[in-house]
Amino acid sequence: MDIKDNHINYVEFKAKDLEKIKEFYTASFDWTFTDYGPTYSAFSNSGLEGGFEKTENEIINGALIVLYHKNLDLIKNKILEAGGKITKDIFSFPGGRRFHFVDPSENELAVWSDK
């Protein structure tokens, strides 16, 4: 897959019970899952890659749209200059790094990079 800067690349949902959610999406839509520890499971075979993160918190808006950019520092600065706010600074995860931000309407998104 040709990953392009500034394109939606991944969607992340919250889940109370990962086993139940995997069973549901496998049975309903034939999605496949890869577990990354006890609190995260990525899905594929869905048209867009994504994952479920286990949470004990109330799920208000369970989807996190994840954009790709090869240079996190550059895009982070552009977001700040445009009026966005960083809600979770750059951190590492298996396969790359990412950060979260909110836009001027308080919609939370994330940007990741494999670089």
Side-chain angles (χ1 to χ4, degrees):
M1 174 173 62
D2 185 26
I3 302 174
K4 296 182 180 177
D5 288 349
N6 306 320
H7 284 203
I8 294 173
N9 178 256
Y10 198 83
V11 62
E12 195 168 273
F13 297 97
K14 302 288 186 189
K16 297 282 188 181
D17 183 326
L18 287 179
E19 290 308 312
K20 230 182 234 187
I21 208 78
K22 291 188 302 186
E23 289 171 11
F24 173 82
Y25 283 98
T26 298
S28 298
F29 303 109
D30 294 321
W31 290 7
T32 55
F33 289 86
T34 303
D35 293 335
Y36 292 96
T39 62
Y40 198 87
S41 188
F43 61 81
S44 55
N45 200 33
S46 65
L48 177 66
E49 301 296 305
F52 286 94
E53 180 183 30
K54 183 172 174 51
T55 184
E56 300 300 325
N57 298 328
E58 178 184 6
I59 299 172
I60 297 170
N61 179 6
L64 177 67
I65 301 299
V66 183
L67 305 163
Y68 176 84
H69 201 284
K70 65 183 170 240
N71 187 329
L72 289 184
D73 292 317
L74 175 71
I75 195 64
K76 178 181 163 186
N77 287 333
K78 287 180 79 170
I79 289 167
L80 290 170
E81 289 170 10
K85 296 177 188 157
I86 304 305
T87 57
K88 190 182 286 189
D89 211 350
I90 297 172
F91 64 94
S92 296
F93 65 91
R97 301 179 311 132
R98 80 178 194 198
F99 67 92
H100 295 209
F101 70 95
V102 291
D103 66 18
S105 292
E106 299 294 315
N107 293 298
E108 185 176 27
L109 291 89
V111 182
W112 85 284
S113 180
D114 54 352
K115 308 288 183 227

